[in-house]
Amino acid sequence: MDEPGQERALRALGTALDMNAPTVRHRLRRFPEGTPFLKLRLPGEGDATLFLDGHQWIFLSEPGDDRPATQFAAGLVEDAPEVVVERVMSVMARRVRRAAPAGRALKSCALGLVTAVGVGLLSAVVMAILIGGNGYPLSDVSSVAVYVLAALLGVAAGVWVGVRWWRRLG
């Protein structure tokens, strides 16, 4: 297939990716010898390349943390782009291995708690130093305000870290 035909087919495949797999980011690029290809990236996964070799779609993925490199013929250029996208996504989307719910919850809560305590203590110390260093008297009201504000900052940071780790482990 000539180069403009390849580019047209790749653009049609990019449109099918936008419609059927919106989480996959893709960009039309060129090999050093000038042949166009699609560079694919699925968040949380590695990069992959999709190009035409004659009349076949060839899919190549980069090796990741827990998966080897993959290469296969994803179909023919005459196949509907939606069918090719479905084949590519079946290989590209990793099999999700969830952590045990108890371990996941324990790890997320522990990290959130450690973060909350650390941020709370650090912010209380910094605010006490700033209040005392600026010449304000350290009264009961300012001490309570520092403790409450430090606790709020700690809780906010702890919840944020806990939720982030919960999603990451899931």
Side-chain angles (χ1 to χ4, degrees), residues 113-127 146-147 149-155 157-158:
L113 185 62
V114 167
T115 302
V117 169
V119 168
L121 287 175
L122 181 66
S123 60
V125 167
V126 168
M127 286 188 283
V146 165
Y147 295 146
L149 192 56
L152 287 175
L153 289 172
V155 167

Tab-separated table of all heavy atoms in Angstrom, residues 113-127 146-147 149-155 157-158:
chain	number	residue	atom	x	y	z
A	113	LEU	N	-2.669	6.980	57.441
A	113	LEU	CA	-2.466	7.351	58.842
A	113	LEU	C	-1.067	7.908	59.079
A	113	LEU	O	-0.896	8.929	59.750
A	113	LEU	CB	-2.710	6.135	59.740
A	113	LEU	CG	-2.643	6.384	61.235
A	113	LEU	CD1	-3.729	7.369	61.657
A	113	LEU	CD2	-2.774	5.073	61.990
A	114	VAL	N	-0.063	7.259	58.519
A	114	VAL	CA	1.317	7.747	58.662
A	114	VAL	C	1.446	9.137	58.046
A	114	VAL	O	2.070	10.029	58.620
A	114	VAL	CB	2.310	6.749	58.020
A	114	VAL	CG1	3.686	7.352	57.866
A	114	VAL	CG2	2.369	5.468	58.841
A	115	THR	N	0.844	9.326	56.891
A	115	THR	CA	0.890	10.635	56.245
A	115	THR	C	0.169	11.684	57.087
A	115	THR	O	0.665	12.801	57.244
A	115	THR	CB	0.252	10.557	54.847
A	115	THR	OG1	0.952	9.590	54.077
A	115	THR	CG2	0.295	11.892	54.143
A	116	ALA	N	-0.994	11.341	57.616
A	116	ALA	CA	-1.757	12.289	58.420
A	116	ALA	C	-0.968	12.726	59.650
A	116	ALA	O	-0.897	13.920	59.957
A	116	ALA	CB	-3.091	11.664	58.840
A	117	VAL	N	-0.361	11.776	60.337
A	117	VAL	CA	0.424	12.113	61.539
A	117	VAL	C	1.625	12.976	61.158
A	117	VAL	O	1.916	13.997	61.794
A	117	VAL	CB	0.856	10.829	62.279
A	117	VAL	CG1	1.880	11.132	63.352
A	117	VAL	CG2	-0.357	10.138	62.867
A	118	GLY	N	2.326	12.578	60.101
A	118	GLY	CA	3.517	13.333	59.682
A	118	GLY	C	3.189	14.746	59.258
A	118	GLY	O	3.847	15.710	59.685
A	119	VAL	N	2.188	14.899	58.418
A	119	VAL	CA	1.808	16.237	57.958
A	119	VAL	C	1.267	17.065	59.113
A	119	VAL	O	1.561	18.262	59.226
A	119	VAL	CB	0.787	16.144	56.801
A	119	VAL	CG1	0.156	17.488	56.499
A	119	VAL	CG2	1.451	15.588	55.563
A	120	GLY	N	0.477	16.470	60.001
A	120	GLY	CA	-0.061	17.203	61.155
A	120	GLY	C	1.038	17.722	62.060
A	120	GLY	O	1.032	18.889	62.463
A	121	LEU	N	1.992	16.847	62.401
A	121	LEU	CA	3.099	17.284	63.261
A	121	LEU	C	3.960	18.349	62.590
A	121	LEU	O	4.315	19.352	63.213
A	121	LEU	CB	3.961	16.080	63.649
A	121	LEU	CG	3.358	15.120	64.675
A	121	LEU	CD1	4.258	13.911	64.861
A	121	LEU	CD2	3.152	15.829	65.995
A	122	LEU	N	4.294	18.124	61.356
A	122	LEU	CA	5.137	19.085	60.640
A	122	LEU	C	4.456	20.441	60.515
A	122	LEU	O	5.075	21.484	60.768
A	122	LEU	CB	5.501	18.549	59.253
A	122	LEU	CG	6.397	19.439	58.405
A	122	LEU	CD1	7.778	19.559	59.050
A	122	LEU	CD2	6.504	18.908	56.993
A	123	SER	N	3.174	20.436	60.165
A	123	SER	CA	2.493	21.724	60.017
A	123	SER	C	2.314	22.417	61.372
A	123	SER	O	2.405	23.649	61.452
A	123	SER	CB	1.145	21.545	59.321
A	123	SER	OG	0.318	20.687	60.057
A	124	ALA	N	2.097	21.667	62.448
A	124	ALA	CA	1.983	22.289	63.782
A	124	ALA	C	3.299	22.938	64.179
A	124	ALA	O	3.311	24.073	64.692
A	124	ALA	CB	1.570	21.237	64.811
A	125	VAL	N	4.403	22.261	63.946
A	125	VAL	CA	5.714	22.821	64.296
A	125	VAL	C	6.009	24.069	63.468
A	125	VAL	O	6.452	25.094	63.988
A	125	VAL	CB	6.816	21.752	64.122
A	125	VAL	CG1	8.196	22.370	64.175
A	125	VAL	CG2	6.676	20.670	65.168
A	126	VAL	N	5.744	23.995	62.176
A	126	VAL	CA	6.024	25.144	61.301
A	126	VAL	C	5.151	26.339	61.692
A	126	VAL	O	5.645	27.476	61.783
A	126	VAL	CB	5.812	24.756	59.818
A	126	VAL	CG1	5.798	25.981	58.926
A	126	VAL	CG2	6.890	23.792	59.372
A	127	MET	N	3.867	26.103	61.954
A	127	MET	CA	2.995	27.223	62.343
A	127	MET	C	3.391	27.802	63.700
A	127	MET	O	3.351	29.024	63.885
A	127	MET	CB	1.534	26.772	62.354
A	127	MET	CG	0.964	26.610	60.962
A	127	MET	SD	-0.805	26.290	60.950
A	127	MET	CE	-0.844	24.563	61.419
A	146	VAL	N	-3.663	26.584	66.004
A	146	VAL	CA	-2.563	25.852	65.367
A	146	VAL	C	-2.863	24.354	65.367
A	146	VAL	O	-2.701	23.670	64.349
A	146	VAL	CB	-1.218	26.141	66.074
A	146	VAL	CG1	-0.155	25.133	65.687
A	146	VAL	CG2	-0.754	27.547	65.747
A	147	TYR	N	-3.324	23.827	66.485
A	147	TYR	CA	-3.610	22.392	66.578
A	147	TYR	C	-4.754	21.978	65.652
A	147	TYR	O	-4.690	20.948	64.989
A	147	TYR	CB	-3.923	21.986	68.021
A	147	TYR	CG	-2.758	22.138	68.958
A	147	TYR	CD1	-2.960	22.513	70.279
A	147	TYR	CD2	-1.448	21.904	68.536
A	147	TYR	CE1	-1.894	22.646	71.158
A	147	TYR	CE2	-0.380	22.045	69.403
A	147	TYR	CZ	-0.601	22.414	70.701
A	147	TYR	OH	0.454	22.552	71.555
A	149	LEU	N	-5.825	23.580	62.908
A	149	LEU	CA	-5.386	23.702	61.524
A	149	LEU	C	-4.423	22.576	61.142
A	149	LEU	O	-4.519	22.008	60.052
A	149	LEU	CB	-4.730	25.071	61.297
A	149	LEU	CG	-4.468	25.474	59.853
A	149	LEU	CD1	-5.740	25.424	59.042
A	149	LEU	CD2	-3.867	26.863	59.810
A	150	ALA	N	-3.509	22.221	62.046
A	150	ALA	CA	-2.583	21.119	61.785
A	150	ALA	C	-3.338	19.804	61.648
A	150	ALA	O	-3.021	18.979	60.776
A	150	ALA	CB	-1.548	21.025	62.901
A	151	ALA	N	-4.344	19.594	62.486
A	151	ALA	CA	-5.146	18.365	62.391
A	151	ALA	C	-5.902	18.308	61.074
A	151	ALA	O	-5.955	17.253	60.425
A	151	ALA	CB	-6.117	18.283	63.566
A	152	LEU	N	-6.481	19.436	60.655
A	152	LEU	CA	-7.195	19.465	59.373
A	152	LEU	C	-6.256	19.184	58.207
A	152	LEU	O	-6.599	18.427	57.285
A	152	LEU	CB	-7.890	20.812	59.185
A	152	LEU	CG	-9.124	21.055	60.047
A	152	LEU	CD1	-9.634	22.476	59.847
A	152	LEU	CD2	-10.205	20.047	59.711
A	153	LEU	N	-5.088	19.796	58.217
A	153	LEU	CA	-4.110	19.530	57.150
A	153	LEU	C	-3.681	18.064	57.150
A	153	LEU	O	-3.549	17.440	56.099
A	153	LEU	CB	-2.896	20.439	57.307
A	153	LEU	CG	-3.109	21.915	56.994
A	153	LEU	CD1	-1.869	22.720	57.383
A	153	LEU	CD2	-3.422	22.103	55.528
A	154	GLY	N	-3.458	17.518	58.340
A	154	GLY	CA	-3.065	16.124	58.442
A	154	GLY	C	-4.135	15.180	57.933
A	154	GLY	O	-3.854	14.236	57.194
A	155	VAL	N	-5.374	15.423	58.337
A	155	VAL	CA	-6.477	14.570	57.887
A	155	VAL	C	-6.648	14.663	56.374
A	155	VAL	O	-6.827	13.653	55.690
A	155	VAL	CB	-7.787	14.951	58.611
A	155	VAL	CG1	-8.995	14.311	57.953
A	155	VAL	CG2	-7.703	14.531	60.071
A	157	ALA	N	-4.381	15.445	54.082
A	157	ALA	CA	-3.270	14.760	53.415
A	157	ALA	C	-3.388	13.246	53.575
A	157	ALA	O	-3.131	12.484	52.629
A	157	ALA	CB	-1.939	15.252	53.981
A	158	GLY	N	-3.790	12.789	54.757
A	158	GLY	CA	-3.935	11.355	54.987
A	158	GLY	C	-5.024	10.736	54.137
A	158	GLY	O	-4.845	9.652	53.572
